[in-house]
Amino acid sequence: MDIAAMIENLTPWAIPYAILGGYTVIISLISMVVCIYDKLISKKGKVELRVPEKVLFYILPLLGGALAMFVTMTLIRHKTQHWQRWLTFCIALLQIAAVVGITAVIALGVI
């Protein structure tokens, strides 16, 4: 099947979900890169180049990179002693619940 035929067969909700999916992938990758960068800089001891904690714990997670940020922090053991790390996890759960809820509402035909 060619791309033109695929586009013709899209439901009205497919394009917003594709855009949301693409955005989520991009912000997740950015979040992971920022977290890994901060870990590498912290090992070198260059305090002036570090990423502020409000960016790591609040801004990037609220923009949509919470799950990727939490998983990356856990895997590379970066800032795992901070209580805000669990706030990032809670934001991720809320984002997942919102997407599932919206999907369920659309699938049930309420909208």
Side-chain angles (χ1 to χ4, degrees), residues 32-42 49-51 76 78:
M32 292 169 66
V33 167
V34 169
C35 189
I36 292 168
Y37 166 81
D38 191 55
K39 173 74 173 190
L40 293 173
I41 291 300
S42 70
L49 298 176
R50 298 278 312 264
V51 178
I76 66 172
H78 185 54

Side-chain angles (χ1 to χ4, degrees), residues 34-40 42 50 56-57 72-82 85:
V34 169
C35 189
I36 292 168
Y37 166 81
D38 191 55
K39 173 74 173 190
L40 293 173
S42 70
R50 298 278 312 264
L56 287 174
F57 290 123
T72 304
M73 284 181 177
T74 303
L75 290 176
I76 66 172
R77 295 186 180 135
H78 185 54
K79 295 191 180 279
T80 55
Q81 301 298 316
H82 294 258
R85 179 172 161 263

Side-chain angles (χ1 to χ4, degrees), residues 76-95:
I76 66 172
R77 295 186 180 135
H78 185 54
K79 295 191 180 279
T80 55
Q81 301 298 316
H82 294 258
W83 66 269
Q84 292 100 329
R85 179 172 161 263
W86 293 104
L87 179 65
T88 301
F89 179 70
C90 292
I91 292 170
L93 289 181
L94 289 174
Q95 289 172 348

Side-chain angles (χ1 to χ4, degrees), residues 5-62:
M6 289 173 52
I7 292 174
E8 289 176 12
N9 294 330
L10 289 177
T11 63
W13 288 99
I15 293 173
Y17 274 118
I19 292 170
L20 180 64
Y23 171 78
T24 303
V25 168
I26 290 169
I27 196 67
S28 295
L29 289 173
I30 290 170
S31 298
M32 292 169 66
V33 167
V34 169
C35 189
I36 292 168
Y37 166 81
D38 191 55
K39 173 74 173 190
L40 293 173
I41 291 300
S42 70
K43 283 188 167 187
K44 291 182 180 180
K46 297 184 178 181
V47 178
E48 67 277 358
L49 298 176
R50 298 278 312 264
V51 178
E53 286 190 2
K54 70 179 179 180
V55 172
L56 287 174
F57 290 123
Y58 303 111
I59 295 174
L60 286 174
L62 287 173

